[in-house]
Amino acid sequence: MMMRLSSGESQHDDEKIVESGGEQKPAETINPEQPTRLFNKKEEIIFSRNSSAKLFSFKMHRTFWKYGRWIGYAAGAVTATSMTVVVSQCSTSNWSPTNPSAVPDAGFPKWDFNWDKREPYSLVKPPKKTKRDVDPAEEENKVAEQLEKKKSKVIRHIILIRHGQYNLKGSCDDERSLSQLGIEQAELTGNRLKNSGVTFTSLLTSNMCRAIQTSEIVLKHLGQKGLEILAKDPMLREGAPCLPEPPVSSWHPDLHQYFEDGARIEAAFRKYFHRAHPDQKEDSYELIVCHANVIRYFVCRAMQFPPEAWLRISLNHTSLTMLSILPSGRVILRSLGDSGHLPADKMTTS
């Protein structure tokens, strides 16, 4: 059965011609305030139109493919109309056009507040069974004091910096040094951080040549007294975190590379991403210079997104990605691949 809105009718008319089984008959006049049923219950399609926005809402009780061809005709006939298709039998969502505030139930897990294994309750041993001569209230107070001592009190702000553009033709790491453009990108990044007015707590870098060079240039132009490169960590080296989804044909390392690099990059995430230590008194701003694959994986893990989605993100050279880890265990992504400090002609990804 084919159904379509007649292309000969104006979208401002109150009557439309609906074809069904080869017959043509005028549809009922559509009341803007009241949905009009044009079909039986089994093939029910509810048309509703807002008189000001001309918004049609199509609620279908059969599969999308059944009416896909019809929808195509309708879209061509009513070019200025916004359409929403809800396929009730293809989704378990509670969302509907009349209840848009309901979040679709896509099966996403709830936020894990103990993702870093530093939630206070997981660091304190549960109270032992109280003896008869021990006051239960006193025992509870002791546990409460221990929990308070384990609580994080400040925020860790982690700023991830991708290295600058480098010589792709190098046969080894030492030969893959920054290009002239990469040096200029790093200088602009250092100036951007200097003008931010933030006092940075620490600076770490991958031990690969291009990352070390970038961190040194950033440090020089940042000009912050007392700040130095604390470590050149091999755990932050570039690599293949995990098999991406969807896969891409342009980049496909051997499986053993995922096996080796994935464990290392995951270990680096667990090392650097966690809430502040209870003894930390002030918010910290920590700089980490590393690589695109590592940063993208870190973002997915920190936001509790599927890690396999890392290759869906693109990062420019010397872009800034900032995440904040709150005392409660919540994580906020404040910026992703920020390249506002680079002129358009100096933005590169490879």
Side-chain angles (χ1 to χ4, degrees):
M1 178 177 65
M2 182 184 72
M3 300 169 288
R4 65 180 176 86
L5 293 179
S6 172
S7 58
E9 298 293 324
S10 167
Q11 64 177 346
H12 298 290
D13 295 340
D14 287 333
E15 289 190 355
K16 300 294 177 187
I17 302 298
V18 179
E19 282 188 3
S20 179
E23 296 183 359
Q24 288 192 357
K25 56 182 179 180
E28 298 177 17
T29 302
I30 299 175
N31 186 334
E33 306 298 329
Q34 181 68 33
T36 304
R37 301 190 178 217
L38 304 183
F39 299 93
N40 57 40
K41 265 190 175 180
K42 195 170 184 181
E43 299 177 353
E44 177 183 355
I45 300 178
I46 300 179
F47 286 76
S48 63
R49 184 166 66 175
N50 182 291
S51 57
S52 59
K54 301 292 188 292
L55 175 64
F56 282 86
S57 178
F58 299 34
K59 184 175 181 183
M60 306 171 65
H61 288 270
R62 283 192 174 181
T63 62
F64 174 83
W65 303 112
K66 177 75 176 177
Y67 298 103
R69 191 175 179 185
W70 176 78
I71 293 169
Y73 286 131
V78 194
T79 55
T81 303
S82 298
M83 295 189 298
T84 302
V85 180
V86 179
V87 187
S88 61
Q89 290 187 359
C90 293
S91 172
T92 58
S93 170
N94 294 324
W95 186 92
S96 68
T98 58
N99 188 25
S101 62
V103 179
D105 181 11
F108 295 121
K110 299 295 184 181
W111 181 262
D112 177 12
F113 282 92
N114 196 29
W115 58 273
D116 59 350
K117 309 306 176 189
R118 302 197 183 202
E119 187 72 19
Y121 72 81
S122 67
L123 301 174
V124 174
K125 294 181 179 180
K128 298 179 180 179
K129 293 183 179 179
T130 56
K131 299 178 182 179
R132 293 181 179 178
D133 56 342
V134 177
D135 184 3
E138 182 180 348
E139 191 70 20
E140 289 179 5
N141 289 335
K142 288 181 179 179
V143 173
E145 290 176 4
Q146 291 177 350
L147 288 171
E148 189 64 29
K149 290 179 180 179
K150 297 293 184 180
K151 280 185 179 180
S152 178
K153 302 173 182 63
V154 294
I155 302 173
R156 291 184 66 215
H157 302 283
I158 300 176
I159 300 94
L160 301 166
I161 306 173
R162 188 189 177 191
H163 58 77
Q165 188 194 56
Y166 65 101
N167 175 27
L168 290 170
K169 297 180 180 179
S171 59
C172 63
D173 183 53
D174 290 339
E175 294 179 2
R176 293 172 185 152
S177 57
L178 293 183
S179 63
Q180 182 56 42
L181 176 57
I183 293 173
E184 294 175 12
Q185 291 169 338
E187 291 173 344
L188 291 167
T189 304
N191 290 331
R192 163 78 179 273
L193 295 173
K194 179 180 180 180
N195 294 331
S196 69
V198 174
T199 300
F200 296 97
T201 311
S202 61
L203 173 58
L204 304 169
T205 181
S206 156
N207 71 341
M208 298 188 80
C209 179
R210 55 188 182 271
I212 293 174
Q213 284 184 300
T214 301
S215 62
E216 291 174 344
I217 296 171
V218 167
L219 181 61
K220 177 182 176 182
H221 285 76
L222 186 56
Q224 180 179 312
K225 292 183 178 179
L227 184 66
E228 58 184 20
I229 300 174
L230 294 181
K232 300 172 183 177
D233 194 345
M235 294 178 68
L236 294 169
R237 292 175 69 89
E238 184 63 301
C242 61
L243 283 165
E245 179 59 41
V248 294
S249 59
S250 58
W251 192 77
H252 40 81
D254 294 332
L255 289 177
H256 70 81
Q257 188 173 345
Y258 290 112
F259 184 74
E260 295 172 9
D261 294 346
R264 170 179 56 80
I265 297 172
E266 172 63 22
F269 172 79
R270 299 186 185 192
K271 179 179 180 180
Y272 292 114
F273 280 79
H274 54 79
R275 69 195 78 189
H277 192 276
D279 293 337
Q280 185 173 322
K281 305 299 182 184
E282 297 179 351
D283 294 354
S284 59
Y285 293 84
E286 307 165 30
L287 300 171
I288 300 178
V289 181
C290 52
H291 308 271
N293 294 358
V294 177
I295 294 172
R296 293 182 283 189
Y297 179 81
F298 282 175
V299 168
C300 289
R301 285 285 284 110
M303 300 306 297
Q304 298 187 18
F305 297 154
E308 296 82 3
W310 65 272
L311 200 49
R312 304 174 197 175
I313 303 170
S314 178
L315 298 175
N316 289 332
H317 288 119
T318 66
S319 60
L320 306 175
T321 296
M322 181 175 178
L323 298 110
S324 298
I325 305 176
L326 278 56
S328 65
R330 284 187 57 212
V331 179
I332 300 174
L333 179 62
R334 299 191 182 275
S335 66
L336 177 64
D338 181 0
S339 306
H341 53 289
L342 300 176
D345 60 347
K346 295 187 185 301
M347 291 185 183
T348 57
T349 56
S350 60

